[in-house]
Amino acid sequence: MSFFGLLIALLCFSHFSRRLRAHHREHHGEGDHDEWWTRHACHNPRDHRALRQAAREARRAARRAAKGLGVAPGPADETPEQAALRRARGRAAAETGFYIHLLTYLAVIAFLALINLMTTHYPWFMWPALGWGMGVFAHYMGVYGAPHLRERIFEPVVERELRRERAVMTTEKQASIDELSSTIAHEIRNPVAAAKSLVQQMGEDPTSVENVEYAKVALAELDRVERRISHLLKYAKEEDYDFALVSVATVVDAALTQVRNKLDVAKVAVARNYIGGPTVHADAEKLQSVFANILDNAVDAFATVPDARRIDLFVENGGNDATVRIRDNGCGIGADKIERVFNPFFTTKEKGTGLGMAIAKKVVEAHEGQISVASEPGRGTEFRVTLPLPRNGS
């Protein structure tokens, strides 16, 4: 056994020495030097020729860059040919490293086997041979096995999953676009059709005393279209946010002041269940519009509530988030409608555009927060806005 290991080690050493001498001879010629690297990097003759050509082109580009700029091209200026040459050299270096490891392993184990043979009959050299052999095998898998597994198994699986995810995202996006387009067409077509009908009646009888009323109604319908388009543009527009450290309680108070007149007219009592509040990184103006929109909807929910109208406001600090809860005892939202509250153009109001809550959700998500709603018909609704607290050092 020792003689066999020693023989293998000598053969490998002789083979590797010839390779090193050949490399040393070829190192003086640039074209032959690149040929040595490419011959070790791949096994296909066509790949040899392609990489040799790539190496020549890379050298020409490097000379031109050095001549014109006085410096060699860096990684940011790397051409495809240079990248191919770099990968080929890396591959050749990895394979050469494995050959050196294997040669060292065989030589040392053969030497240990020779000592073992001369000292005792117990084959103790097998234990280091086994342990080190596992390392050699791992090295082999890293150089030859891992690329094969990545090419044959890992990359096809990743590509298949990406195709599936793209297909699902495309389907969902198309469904959302179809639904939104249908809703927009419905919201705009009805007022335009009504205005058109009124204008036609005015044209049929220009002297009619009712033309003034017809004109007012037609203008109201067109104003309704203009309002919906304005909200739609606001919803679709990517707005700029002016983030700063703001107190959540201060923003909620500002929203309360904004809708105070409507609250007083509707005789709604407001309970502020907080004194202060946490500080968040937010755009105060846009966040105020979110809370004002929720309060405005809460007031509208009291249309069928005769008395004891009440809104409770909570500002809480829990863990890594700040939470604002706005709860009313209004008419509530039905189970068949609550899932659509944040959908564009969904509204239960006669004169609503249906974009207020959709815009609110967009603003909250731009703050990396979440908005949710819970409701029970006849007992009221609660909106919850959660915003992340500033991280340490931010």
Side-chain angles (χ1 to χ4, degrees):
M1 178 68 184
S2 60
F3 176 77
F4 179 72
L6 181 60
L7 179 61
I8 293 177
L10 291 174
L11 290 174
C12 289
F13 180 77
S14 175
H15 173 72
F16 192 69
S17 297
R18 288 198 301 271
R19 300 281 285 273
L20 287 177
R21 285 196 297 271
H23 169 55
H24 180 72
R25 287 196 302 269
E26 295 170 355
H27 185 68
H28 298 286
E30 289 181 343
D32 294 336
H33 171 66
D34 292 322
E35 184 177 353
W36 185 88
W37 281 106
T38 55
R39 192 166 58 242
H40 287 76
C42 58
H43 307 286
N44 192 326
R46 278 193 239 159
D47 293 338
H48 293 168
R49 291 191 293 272
L51 284 175
R52 282 199 298 271
Q53 181 64 25
R56 295 190 188 99
E57 293 295 331
R59 285 196 304 276
R60 295 192 190 102
R63 291 194 197 99
R64 287 194 297 268
K67 184 177 179 180
L69 301 176
V71 293
D77 305 321
E78 191 176 51
T79 63
E81 292 80 6
Q82 290 172 315
L85 179 61
R86 176 175 50 79
R87 289 193 297 268
R89 286 180 170 175
R91 180 67 180 171
E95 293 186 4
T96 303
F98 172 73
Y99 289 145
I100 294 174
H101 187 187
L102 179 61
L103 174 65
T104 305
Y105 167 75
L106 293 174
V108 172
I109 295 303
F111 180 69
L112 293 178
L114 183 61
I115 295 176
N116 188 177
L117 182 63
M118 292 187 299
T119 56
T120 179
H121 294 291
Y122 178 75
W124 53 263
F125 80 96
M126 294 295 294
W127 299 110
L130 180 62
W132 194 353
M134 294 174 65
V136 172
F137 177 75
H139 194 171
Y140 172 82
M141 290 301 296
V143 174
Y144 296 99
H148 178 77
L149 292 175
R150 183 171 59 250
E151 180 181 351
R152 294 297 182 89
I153 299 176
F154 180 76
E155 291 180 354
V157 171
V158 171
E159 182 63 26
R160 186 168 62 250
E161 288 299 316
L162 283 175
R163 285 198 302 268
R164 187 179 67 83
E165 291 295 333
R166 289 193 195 103
V168 171
M169 292 174 62
T170 301
T171 302
E172 292 177 351
K173 184 182 295 185
Q174 185 62 44
S176 300
I177 292 174
D178 292 344
E179 181 181 359
L180 185 60
S181 301
S182 175
T183 306
I184 292 173
H186 176 75
E187 291 293 326
I188 294 178
R189 180 181 58 191
N190 290 349
V192 170
K196 179 181 177 181
S197 175
L198 292 170
V199 172
Q200 285 176 341
Q201 293 183 35
M202 294 169 62
E204 292 173 358
D205 188 4
T207 61
S208 174
V209 295
E210 296 179 343
N211 284 350
V212 175
E213 292 299 322
Y214 290 162
K216 290 180 180 179
V217 175
L219 288 174
E221 292 296 326
L222 293 176
D223 183 65
R224 178 181 170 189
V225 173
E226 183 181 12
R227 189 167 61 251
R228 276 163 168 72
I229 293 176
S230 176
H231 280 77
L232 176 62
L233 292 175
K234 184 178 179 181
Y235 173 73
K237 182 181 178 183
E238 291 296 333
E239 298 186 84
D240 295 328
Y241 288 80
D242 185 14
F243 287 96
L245 291 176
V246 297
S247 169
V248 177
T250 302
V251 176
V252 174
D253 287 341
L256 193 59
T257 301
Q258 182 178 336
V259 297
R260 173 58 65 182
N261 185 60
K262 188 173 182 178
L263 289 167
D264 293 340
V265 171
K267 297 180 180 181
V268 178
V270 178
R272 295 168 65 253
N273 298 281
Y274 60 91
I275 298 177
T279 299
V280 297
H281 199 60
D283 185 320
E285 182 180 351
K286 290 184 174 60
L287 206 55
Q288 177 184 329
S289 69
V290 171
F291 298 133
N293 197 297
I294 296 174
L295 290 168
D296 186 78
N297 288 340
V299 175
D300 292 336
F302 290 117
T304 58
V305 179
D307 52 17
R309 299 173 176 180
R310 179 185 177 90
I311 294 177
D312 289 286
L313 301 176
F314 302 86
V315 177
E316 303 167 347
N317 182 0
N320 298 322
D321 299 313
T323 302
V324 177
R325 293 190 292 124
I326 302 177
R327 185 172 63 201
D328 65 68
N329 63 342
C331 62
I333 304 172
D336 59 328
K337 298 177 180 178
I338 196 166
E339 296 295 331
R340 302 166 58 195
V341 166
F342 301 107
N343 288 358
F345 295 108
F346 173 77
T347 181
T348 56
K349 302 179 186 180
E350 185 177 348
K351 296 183 179 180
T353 61
L355 284 170
M357 295 313 301
I359 294 173
K361 182 179 180 182
K362 180 181 177 182
V363 171
V364 172
E365 290 179 346
H367 286 76
E368 298 182 359
Q370 294 180 343
I371 182 171
S372 60
V373 58
S375 184
E376 186 175 347
R379 303 195 61 178
T381 302
E382 179 176 301
F383 280 88
R384 179 186 296 262
V385 177
T386 303
L387 301 168
L389 294 174
R391 300 180 180 86
N392 293 333
S394 62

